[in-house]
């Protein structure tokens, strides 16, 4: 199993028992490993999903600890990166649809985040 996979699994285990500092560390380390191997990130559906999950999980950790700016960052930054990739890629490219789906999922999460933070304010 790749190290980033182990880190995500371990992060999920810590998250489940409310050890947010450890969960954050694991998700961040997994994200770092995925970013370091970014040449295949946008052409490998599993890595793309894991990368988005790390950002989402970090956003959740930060939201629960009232760090909404960091939470927002981890929801917005992947969208910005995917937008750049989509602009570079032809709609006929075999991974274009995967990126578009990832963008749509991330955008939905951002909308929900904004709605819940507006209600809380």
């Amino acid at each position: 199993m790749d190290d980033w996979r182990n880190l995500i699994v371990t992060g999920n285990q810590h998250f489940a028992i409310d050890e947010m500092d450890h969960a954050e560390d694991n998700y961040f380390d997994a994200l770092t490993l995925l970013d370091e191997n970014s040449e295949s990130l946008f052409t490998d559906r599993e890595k793309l999903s894991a990368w988005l999950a790390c950002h989402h999980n970090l956003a959740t950790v930060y939201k629960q600890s009232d760090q909404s700016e960091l939470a927002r960052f981890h929801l917005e930054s992947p969208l910005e990166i995917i937008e750049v990739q989509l602009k570079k890629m032809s709609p006929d490219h075999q991974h274009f649809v995967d990126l578009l789906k990832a963008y749509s999922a991330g955008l939905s999460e951002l909308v929900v985040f904004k709605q819940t933070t507006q209600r809380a304010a």
Side-chain angles (χ1 to χ4, degrees):
M1 185 180 270
D2 292 311
D3 289 337
W4 57 266
R5 286 187 184 106
N6 288 329
L7 289 164
I8 292 171
V9 168
T10 303
N12 290 343
Q13 291 167 344
H14 286 292
F15 187 91
I17 58 174
D18 205 31
E19 292 180 349
M20 294 305 167
D21 288 342
H22 294 298
E24 175 188 2
D25 290 344
N26 282 275
Y27 295 143
F28 190 83
D29 290 346
L31 188 59
T32 300
L33 287 175
L34 288 162
D35 282 338
E36 287 173 357
N37 297 303
S38 63
E39 67 278 348
S40 64
L41 184 62
F42 301 107
T43 58
D44 183 321
R45 184 179 296 150
E46 182 182 20
K47 286 182 181 178
L48 179 61
S49 294
W51 180 75
L52 286 170
C54 286
H55 278 290
H56 169 79
N57 294 349
L58 282 167
T60 303
V61 167
Y62 293 134
K63 185 177 178 192
Q64 288 186 0
S65 62
D66 292 324
Q67 298 179 67
S68 59
E69 288 303 314
L70 280 173
R72 180 184 300 273
F73 170 81
H74 280 285
L75 293 173
E76 290 178 345
S77 64
L79 294 177
E80 294 168 1
I81 294 167
I82 292 172
E83 281 179 16
V84 169
Q85 293 300 315
L86 284 168
K87 288 177 184 175
K88 291 181 190 177
M89 195 177 282
S90 164
D92 296 334
H93 191 279
Q94 65 183 16
H95 299 289
F96 186 83
V97 172
D98 291 336
L99 279 176
L100 204 53
K101 287 178 182 177
Y103 184 83
S104 177
L107 190 57
S108 294
E109 290 177 20
L110 181 60
V111 167
V112 169
F113 172 80
K114 287 182 176 181
Q115 289 173 343
T116 58
T117 54
Q118 286 174 349
R119 277 188 230 131

